[in-house]
Amino acid sequence: MSMTLIERFLNYVKFDTQSSEESQQVPSTAKQLTFAAYLRDELVAERFADVEMDSKGYVYATLKSNMKKKAPVIGFISHYDTSPDCSGEGVKPRIVEHYDGDDIVLSEGIVSSPAKFPELLSHVGEDLIVTDGTTLLGADDKAGIAEIVQAMCYLRDHDEIAHGDIRVAFNPDEEIGMGAHHFDVERFGCEWAYTIDGGDLGELEFENFNAASAKVRLAGVSVHPGYAKGKMINANRLAAEFASLLPADETPECTEGYEGFYHLLGIQSNIERAQLSYIIRDHDRERFEARKAFFTQCADELNRRYGEGTCQVEVNDQYYNMKEKIDPNMHVIDLVLMAMQQSGVSPRVMPIRGGTDGAQLSFKGLPCPNIFAGGVNFHGPYEFVSVQVMEKAMQVIVKICELTANYND
């Protein structure tokens, strides 16, 4: 099978792999299994070893060592689901060649403009893959998958580049925080790994949010509005009241860098019942715990005002800041920095204002920082990826494998 990096990526985005937060099955949507099976068959066709797909859609494979001496077994991981925030069905990608810095008309009335998305200007002169403005693109994280597979094919076809055993894995449900939950670290068998799931050129991330999900359930009392005085408790108003107790400036749209937030994902409500869905985020573990405690205090306050049982909250931790697991293993970062420099990429080390599978995997004993895959404006119709940045990501993967072959701890 002979395929270019971009051909591979454009083929991947044809598959609708949107995950669902409402599902209890694994993977959360059956259509993810369709793509997982396609990836498995592609890896077999590309003559990788140990290709397998488990019942939950996790795909594993190996590029065997071409050396006599032993080298550390390392891995590369990407997720294939796309965000529930925007449709991934019927993606219609288009390549804008030699982008000139002007507005990009995605379709009639839908324009991607550097006035709104100034990051476009960092890619003037490059070839950008964009959507038609009705779906997301899926570079998060099918760009990462394409880069990993293409890098492995390159190493396979260039035997003069020494490398040890390289493991690859592709998983579902990262976008709903479940991607690493069923990842078999023991089966993967690596000393360390990298998720190729970051953003623009040069991004390297080994700090991420501590994360929790939260559900707020509110019980109202429904009475005919003509006779409601002193009797009705309107759960719609309770929902608004709960939201008002949280700091107005500690939301995603008001924060950056290391600043944490409370993010209201959705509300379902009527007079009698209401439910609010939140995520809670902070890089600092102590502040993270304080945020969760304050969230519960807000529920206590509503119960004090309206009676016990009015407000119930359920808070569940999702993942933690991987930094505490990476700090004792900084060689995995040093190798990336060296690989980027030798590939002509200026490293941009930054905290993730989100999470990756690598965070959970690091706490499962597999140090796993995150490297750029090239996508920008994830989770929406203005998502784009640069062809040249994807090529650089692939080169960095190849260089990491080459450098690891000579690694001696």
Side-chain angles (χ1 to χ4, degrees):
M1 183 184 296
S2 178
M3 192 178 294
T4 70
L5 171 63
I6 302 310
E7 287 171 342
R8 203 179 293 279
F9 172 68
L10 293 178
N11 199 31
Y12 292 166
V13 300
K14 294 176 185 175
F15 291 84
D16 178 11
T17 55
Q18 191 177 43
S19 49
S20 170
E21 291 183 299
E22 306 307 317
S23 172
Q24 300 301 312
Q25 63 189 38
V26 181
S28 61
T29 53
K31 56 192 174 184
Q32 291 185 71
L33 287 174
T34 302
F35 183 56
Y38 175 87
L39 279 175
R40 176 200 61 202
D41 294 346
E42 182 177 82
L43 296 175
V44 170
E46 293 289 8
R47 308 192 309 279
F48 293 157
D50 310 322
V51 178
E52 54 184 330
M53 181 182 100
D54 69 18
S55 62
K56 292 180 171 60
Y58 288 71
V59 178
Y60 306 92
T62 307
L63 178 68
K64 288 292 190 181
S65 172
N66 62 358
M67 304 190 306
K68 291 184 179 178
K69 70 172 185 176
K70 281 190 70 67
V73 179
I74 64 170
F76 296 92
I77 302 164
S78 288
H79 67 91
Y80 52 74
D81 66 313
T82 60
S83 171
D85 295 344
C86 183
S87 173
E89 183 178 6
V91 174
K92 297 179 178 65
R94 172 168 64 93
I95 300 178
V96 179
E97 297 184 350
H98 310 298
Y99 173 59
D100 60 8
D102 290 340
D103 289 356
I104 301 173
V105 178
L106 303 178
S107 59
E108 186 175 353
I110 304 176
V111 177
S112 183
S113 171
K116 186 172 183 180
F117 303 109
E119 50 270 31
L120 281 164
L121 297 177
S122 300
H123 299 281
V124 171
E126 299 174 10
D127 304 317
L128 306 186
I129 306 176
V130 300
T131 75
D132 69 349
T134 64
T135 69
L136 49 66
L137 176 62
D140 179 15
D141 191 23
K142 289 167 185 167
I145 299 174
E147 291 152 7
I148 292 170
V149 174
Q150 201 70 21
M152 296 304 105
C153 291
Y154 185 88
L155 287 168
R156 178 201 64 200
D157 296 339
H158 291 77
D159 203 48
E160 72 277 10
I161 302 175
H163 61 83
D165 282 350
I166 312 296
R167 292 280 279 160
V168 302
F170 307 120
N171 59 269
D173 289 342
E174 188 269 355
E175 296 291 0
I176 59 172
M178 301 293 291
H181 282 215
H182 300 281
F183 192 105
D184 193 331
V185 170
E186 186 175 344
R187 173 188 289 184
F188 199 44
C190 294
E191 294 187 37
W192 69 85
Y194 303 96
T195 50
I196 309 300
D197 189 22
D200 215 340
L201 181 67
E203 287 189 10
L204 170 60
E205 301 151 330
F206 58 94
E207 297 181 68
N208 61 278
F209 276 141
N210 296 290
S213 64
K215 298 285 188 188
V216 181
R217 296 179 177 87
L218 297 156
V221 177
S222 181
V223 179
H224 188 289
Y227 308 93
K229 186 175 181 179
K231 302 172 185 176
M232 177 186 286
I233 300 176
N234 189 333
N236 296 299
R237 293 176 60 82
L238 290 176
E241 192 169 344
F242 183 92
S244 73
L245 295 175
L246 299 172
D249 60 350
E250 294 182 17
T251 61
E253 56 267 41
C254 296
T255 54
E256 62 184 355
Y258 286 93
E259 296 169 338
F261 57 72
Y262 304 93
H263 180 35
L264 177 58
L265 296 176
I267 302 174
Q268 296 175 316
S269 69
N270 54 34
I271 301 294
E272 205 165 42
R273 299 277 170 198
Q275 179 172 293
L276 296 84
S277 299
Y278 279 89
I279 57 174
I280 302 170
R281 300 288 189 263
D282 209 298
H283 278 90
D284 182 87
R285 186 65 176 266
E286 287 188 12
R287 289 198 301 267
F288 174 63
E289 297 299 333
R291 285 186 182 281
K292 292 189 295 180
F294 180 71
F295 203 84
T296 301
Q297 289 167 19
C298 291
D300 293 341
E301 175 61 19
L302 285 191
N303 286 326
R304 184 189 68 78
R305 295 177 186 179
Y306 298 102
E308 196 62 37
T310 299
C311 184
Q312 296 181 324
V313 299
E314 178 185 342
V315 179
N316 293 302
D317 287 359
Q318 294 173 303
Y319 50 82
Y320 302 111
N321 191 342
M322 74 171 89
K323 187 176 188 295
E324 65 181 85
K325 299 299 182 181
I326 299 296
D327 278 348
N329 296 283
M330 284 303 290
H331 61 281
V332 306
I333 302 300
D334 295 338
L335 283 164
V336 180
L337 294 173
M338 194 180 307
M340 285 188 180
Q341 289 160 356
Q342 292 185 18
S343 301
V345 175
S346 297
R348 298 166 57 213
V349 179
M350 59 181 62
I352 309 171
R353 285 184 61 77
T356 72
D357 289 329
Q360 296 182 49
L361 293 172
S362 293
F363 279 87
K364 292 176 78 169
L366 180 68
C368 196
N370 191 42
I371 300 173
F372 72 97
V376 183
N377 295 337
F378 297 151
H379 298 189
Y382 300 99
E383 182 182 10
F384 71 89
V385 65
S386 162
V387 169
Q388 286 76 14
V389 174
M390 287 184 66
E391 290 169 344
K392 280 296 184 183
M394 179 196 135
Q395 292 170 24
V396 168
I397 294 169
V398 169
K399 185 60 69 172
I400 290 171
C401 296
E402 183 180 356
L403 292 171
T404 304
N406 298 307
Y407 172 76
N408 186 350
D409 60 0

